[in-house]
């Protein structure tokens, strides 16, 4: 599976995608295809590619379904007076907590994935690589509980397209399956699928070339990728915060911080920062987990409850904020590649990518014969154009977010009393 994983990691760079990376089992939660087929000829000076060969075939892909249907049960609640999503979801969370499915792997997310200003509830449980997800939604007075989505490595949300994606790996035959859905009303509509093995790729169940696969994948899956279903534990204080039952944002954020403190692992080095980046006079919360194998910064905003905006992978456990342009900077520096993105944060608590870049120069340290590639906004380019575009676009004068306060019981108490270290600008 190592070869396939390497291809997926490189594509995360070339597509300019980012995703939460808090699970120790995930080395890169943005799954995709290599941006250039192995059969292409590449001019490293111009970044151009030669003709591709016809799409190869691979028998193992025929054994995997290319379409996963998700059905659901809908309850008409239009006659319920003062229908409140928080009350409905509290009951669903309490029922799940009493079920035989509940264990210490269970997590949940409350987040608006269909842009109707009413959040969905997504519950996850099960071991890494074999998780089950439960999606519940309220729309126009109808409460829909979809059938379990099983045997998943991850469930992601593509902000640019309001798409839900499932990713499944078959280690035994080295196959990756990605299914795309869109939540509309009471329907979880099937949008399409992508499959990859070491030898071939499929789109919607049909063998295609690497070039076609990459173009179509990048069309649907780009920008900020958020994992869903795993933002919160089932701790009583966290549930109360997620449902908007705290009047003070400091109490709600403290519940989130305590949750991170309780689940901190042996090698974790957690910190947090607070800074208002959307101008609503309530700071956003930035929590970093800078352990060596999966660093990240998790961002929470406030709209009466903590909104789990998403997570940024970063080699230092920090992200940057350009106060003048109101832009968020994220960078990943791995042994194989370097990649960065710039985002804006909109009124719907979603991130829009405005610039991305990446190169594979680091791969030379692992393999002197490795091919070097450069990408700007998901498009291959030459080294000179790449360096010029990056130099013109990036700003070095940023607030560094995620590392200002150590995460301890004492600092959380101080925070609730309004005492914490504010972010500093990197000159």
């Amino acid at each position: 599976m190592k070869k396939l994983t390497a291809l997926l990691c490189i594509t995360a760079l070339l597509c300019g995608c980012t995703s939460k990376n808090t699970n120790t089992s995930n080395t890169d939660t943005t799954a995709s295809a290599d941006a250039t087929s192995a059969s292409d000829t590449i001019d490293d000076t111009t970044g151009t590619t030669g003709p591709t060969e016809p799409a190869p075939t691979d028998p193992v892909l025929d054994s995997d379904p290319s379409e996963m249907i998700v059905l659901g049960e809908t309850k008409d609640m239009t006659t319920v007076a003062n229908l409140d999503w928080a009350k409905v979801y509290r009951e669903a969370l309490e029922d799940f907590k009493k079920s035989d499915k509940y264990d210490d792997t269970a997590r949940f997310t409350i987040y608006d994935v269909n842009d109707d200003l009413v959040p969905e509830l997504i519950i996850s449980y099960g071991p890494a690589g074999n998780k089950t997800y439960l999606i519940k939604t309220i729309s126009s007075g109808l409460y829909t509980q979809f059938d379990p989505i099983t045997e998943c490595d991850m469930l992601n949300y593509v902000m640019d397209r309001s798409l839900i994606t499932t990713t499944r790996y078959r280690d035994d035959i080295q196959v990756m399956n990605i299914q795309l859905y869109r939540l509309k009303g009471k329907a979880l509509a099937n949008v399409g699928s992508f499959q990859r093995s070491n030898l071939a790729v499929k789109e919607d169940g049909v063998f295609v070339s690497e070039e076609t696969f990459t173009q179509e994948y990048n069309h649907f899956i780009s920008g900020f990728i958020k994992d869903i279903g795993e933002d919160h534990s089932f701790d009583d204080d966290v549930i109360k915060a997620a449902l908007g039952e705290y009047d003070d944002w400091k109490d709600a954020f403290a519940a989130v911080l305590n949750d991170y403190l309780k689940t901190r692992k042996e090698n974790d080095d957690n910190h947090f920062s607070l800074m208002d980046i959307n101008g609503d006079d309530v700071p956003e919360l930035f929590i970093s987990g800078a352990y060596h194998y999966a660093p990240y910064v998790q961002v929470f905003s406030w709209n009466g409850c903590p909104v789990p905006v998403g997570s940024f992978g970063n080699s230092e456990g920090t992200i940057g904020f350009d106060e003048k342009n109101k832009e968020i900077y994220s960078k990943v520096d791995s042994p194989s590649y370097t990649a960065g993105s710039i985002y804006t944060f909109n009124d719907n608590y979603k991130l829009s990518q405005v610039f991305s870049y990446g190169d594979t120069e680091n791969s030379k340290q692992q393999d002197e014969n490795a091919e070097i590639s450069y990408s700007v906004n998901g498009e291959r380019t030459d080294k000179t154009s790449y360096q010029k575009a990056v130099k013109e676009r990036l700003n070095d004068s940023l607030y560094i977010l995620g590392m200002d306060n150590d995460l301890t019981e004492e600092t959380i108490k101080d925070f609730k009393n309004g005492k914490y270290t504010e972010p500093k600008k990197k000159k």
Side-chain angles (χ1 to χ4, degrees), residues 204-223:
D204 297 337
V206 178
F207 286 106
V208 295
S209 68
E210 288 274 3
E211 183 178 9
T212 297
F213 183 96
T214 300
Q215 288 175 348
E216 289 298 301
Y217 187 96
N218 291 348
H219 172 74
F220 285 102
I221 303 179
S222 62

Side-chain angles (χ1 to χ4, degrees), residues 298-330:
Q298 177 75 10
V299 182
F300 292 87
S301 192
W302 177 257
N303 69 347
C305 56
V307 181
V309 176
S311 190
F312 297 82
N314 189 286
S315 60
E316 298 178 356
T318 59
I319 60 176
F321 179 62
D322 181 344
E323 187 177 29
K324 180 180 179 181
N325 296 315
K326 305 299 182 185
E327 293 177 336
I328 299 171
Y329 282 56
S330 175

Side-chain angles (χ1 to χ4, degrees), residues 85-153:
W85 62 263
K87 292 181 180 179
V88 175
Y89 291 164
R90 171 168 279 285
E91 182 177 351
L93 290 168
E94 296 295 343
D95 287 346
F96 178 79
K97 202 170 181 178
K98 296 174 184 176
S99 73
D100 59 359
K101 304 297 184 184
Y102 176 73
D103 58 23
D104 58 5
T105 68
R107 307 281 294 180
F108 74 94
T109 293
I110 293 178
Y111 188 82
D112 180 14
V113 301
N114 60 354
D115 302 309
D116 66 353
L117 304 182
V118 178
E120 277 63 52
L121 169 63
I122 304 99
I123 297 173
S124 70
Y125 62 94
N130 187 22
K131 288 190 171 294
T132 296
Y133 293 89
L134 308 175
I135 299 177
K136 305 173 190 296
T137 183
I138 298 174
S139 179
S140 301
L142 300 177
Y143 175 42
T144 301
Q145 302 183 75
F146 289 99
D147 292 344
I149 300 175
T150 61
E151 300 178 342
C152 282
D153 284 77

